Amino acid sequence: MRNISTIIVTFNPQYDALFPTIEKLLLSSNVIIIDNTPNTDSSELYNKKFSCGEFDFEYIPLYENKGIAYAQNIGFVEGIKNKSDFFVLLDQDSNVEEFFIRSLVKEYYAALEHFKKIAVIGPTIINERNNIQDRTEISKSKNAINGIYEVDVLISSGSLIPVNALLEIGMNNSELFIDLVDFEWCYRAKYSGFNVLMSSNITMKHNVGLKDKKIWLGKHTTICSPFRLYYVFRNCIFTLKMKHVPL
């Protein structure tokens, strides 16, 4: 395995769910926790649990909520210092299998035979609440090879980013704070000539929004909190002013 850093941004995490995920990830990667929880330093708790092992563990408290974009950028800087070849981004509530990262890396190298400039590759997302697979981006894809699809955007959770691509494309736009951070980065990558890829060969369970609502013809939409809805609309306005983001 190459040197891989998994970055997880936390905010008031549920440790009983988070710790088993970290244990799985440490089988295949270094893990960097960036903590956005205000007025909190959980160093002792984490170090007691993950102080030894084949791969490194690092916990960085920010003592305030600086947003996912800023926090992930801190993780990128740490990983680059540690000479990582790849980053894997995960949310604190994402549910991964034991060899999820190994599967992602294998899929990346399979894709590299057909796509020469890969910015990111991610799994197909399964909504953990209703077990429905989200194939929205796959359905719009025009270029597919062996279950790997060229798509417009990915959510950050579950995505694998080669460090060389990150260095060329640039880090997150921290002014966006949260929501559309990943989409803006994907559009920037594509504008720079990179491929954004989604694999149907790998799936990951993930909580999308707060709850799901049936609308019509058996279709569902995701309901998010007013706090998140504000940033979705605000950042739609912000990103539409950017030359690389399509109308």
Side-chain angles (χ1 to χ4, degrees):
M1 288 291 291
R2 289 175 175 267
N3 190 8
I4 302 168
S5 290
T6 300
I7 300 170
I8 304 177
V9 177
T10 58
F11 181 82
N12 294 322
Q14 300 293 321
Y15 295 111
D16 57 343
L18 178 60
F19 282 1
T21 298
I22 294 173
E23 287 173 346
K24 293 176 189 175
L25 295 169
L26 284 169
L27 296 172
S28 310
S29 74
N30 308 313
V31 175
I32 304 170
I33 301 290
I34 311 295
D35 195 353
N36 263 333
T37 308
N39 306 312
T40 298
D41 186 344
S42 300
S43 300
E44 187 175 343
L45 177 65
Y46 281 102
N47 290 336
K48 184 177 179 181
K49 183 74 175 175
F50 305 110
S51 59
C52 60
E54 179 185 353
F55 293 97
D56 292 331
F57 175 84
E58 188 171 2
Y59 169 77
I60 303 173
L62 300 182
Y63 303 103
E64 60 180 302
N65 187 2
K66 289 182 172 287
I68 193 168
Y70 181 94
Q72 285 179 345
N73 285 348
I74 296 292
F76 290 145
V77 171
E78 290 302 309
I80 290 167
K81 285 181 186 176
N82 296 333
K83 303 188 184 308
S84 296
D85 298 303
F86 295 99
F87 290 109
V88 174
L89 303 180
L90 279 175
D91 289 352
Q92 65 186 24
D93 57 355
S94 295
N95 190 348
V96 297
E97 299 298 326
E98 192 169 287
F99 296 108
F100 175 77
I101 291 177
R102 294 178 188 272
S103 300
L104 264 182
V105 173
K106 184 178 178 181
E107 202 75 346
Y108 167 81
Y109 282 110
L112 206 55
E113 296 179 9
H114 306 283
F115 302 94
K116 297 308 178 189
K117 288 192 74 174
I118 300 174
V120 58
I121 185 167
T124 304
I125 300 299
I126 298 175
N127 188 329
E128 196 162 26
R129 289 187 300 273
N130 55 26
N131 232 28
I132 294 176
Q133 194 173 110
D134 183 0
R135 296 178 65 88
T136 305
E137 287 301 315
I138 285 178
S139 68
K140 296 188 294 183
S141 172
K142 297 177 182 177
N143 196 355
I145 298 170
N146 300 328
I148 300 172
Y149 296 80
E150 187 173 10
V151 296
D152 287 332
V153 293
L154 291 174
I155 66 168
S156 64
S157 190
S159 62
L160 176 86
I161 300 173
V163 169
N164 288 340
L166 179 76
L167 292 174
E168 187 172 339
I169 297 161
M171 296 192 188
N172 291 329
N173 184 334
S174 59
E175 292 182 358
L176 297 180
F177 192 78
I178 194 170
D179 286 305
L180 301 190
V181 173
D182 37 17
F183 285 18
E184 184 275 330
W185 190 89
C186 287
Y187 284 129
R188 192 171 0 126
K190 290 174 71 71
Y191 188 81
S192 301
F194 282 84
N195 304 113
V196 174
L197 305 177
M198 179 182 286
S199 173
S200 62
N201 303 317
I202 305 174
T203 59
M204 184 187 78
K205 289 188 175 181
H206 178 72
N207 277 312
V208 183
L210 283 178
K211 59 182 179 179
D212 307 293
K213 182 179 176 63
K214 279 188 178 179
I215 40 179
W216 64 83
L217 300 177
K219 295 187 179 297
H220 293 75
T221 189
T222 299
I223 305 299
C224 57
S225 68
F227 173 84
R228 296 293 294 271
L229 196 60
Y230 163 78
Y231 279 101
V232 168
F233 274 86
R234 189 201 74 156
N235 289 347
C236 276
I237 296 169
F238 283 3
T239 54
L240 283 175
K241 297 176 182 179
M242 301 173 182
K243 62 182 180 182
H244 54 274
V245 177
L247 182 61

